[in-house]
Amino acid sequence: QVQLVESGGGSVQAGGSLRLSCAASEYTYSRYCMAWFRQAPGKEREGVASIGSDGTSYADSVQGRFTISQDNAKNTLYLQMNSLKPEDTAMYYCAADRRWWLLLTNRNEYNYWGQGTQVTVSS
C-alpha cells in the first residue's frame, strides 16, 4: 500500500502563504485519486481539495486561495495556500485512494492517509 508523508506546515501570519507537500512511496498518477483534508481541534476532518482524472475540486472556504497540484516525476502532491486566514489553522492531511478515475471529496472514501502537518495562522 502507498505510504504518504506530509511536510511544509508551520506558523504564519494572516495574509501569508505556505506550500504543503505530500511525498508518496509509489507512482500515483493514473493510479490514485489524491486529496488534502484538514482537522481543527474539536472539529471534524473536512475536505480542502482533491485531484483526479476529472480535474480538481475545492472547498468553498478555500476556493481562489488554495491550489492543489502534483509532480508526477517526484510522486509528490502539493497544496499551495495563499491569503491564509486564522480559520485555516488545522492539522493538514494528505489522502489517497486507488479509484483514480474518480474525483473523491469525502473523507470516508479515502483509504490511505499521512500523519499530518500542522498549519497555524495568527491574526
Side-chain angles (χ1 to χ4, degrees), residues 48-106:
V48 175
S50 302
I51 186 167
S53 62
D54 286 343
T56 58
S57 176
Y58 295 92
D60 290 342
S61 59
V62 307
Q63 182 76 46
R65 299 188 298 123
F66 291 10
T67 302
I68 189 171
S69 63
Q70 54 187 14
D71 184 332
N72 300 321
K74 296 181 179 179
N75 298 339
T76 302
L77 180 73
Y78 299 102
L79 184 68
Q80 178 65 44
M81 306 186 294
N82 298 328
S83 302
L84 282 162
K85 304 175 180 180
E87 50 262 45
D88 294 319
T89 295
M91 185 71 79
Y92 282 71
Y93 297 92
C94 174
D97 187 88
R98 290 187 181 275
R99 291 169 288 180
W100 59 270
W101 60 92
L102 299 175
L103 188 60
L104 305 174
T105 59
N106 189 302

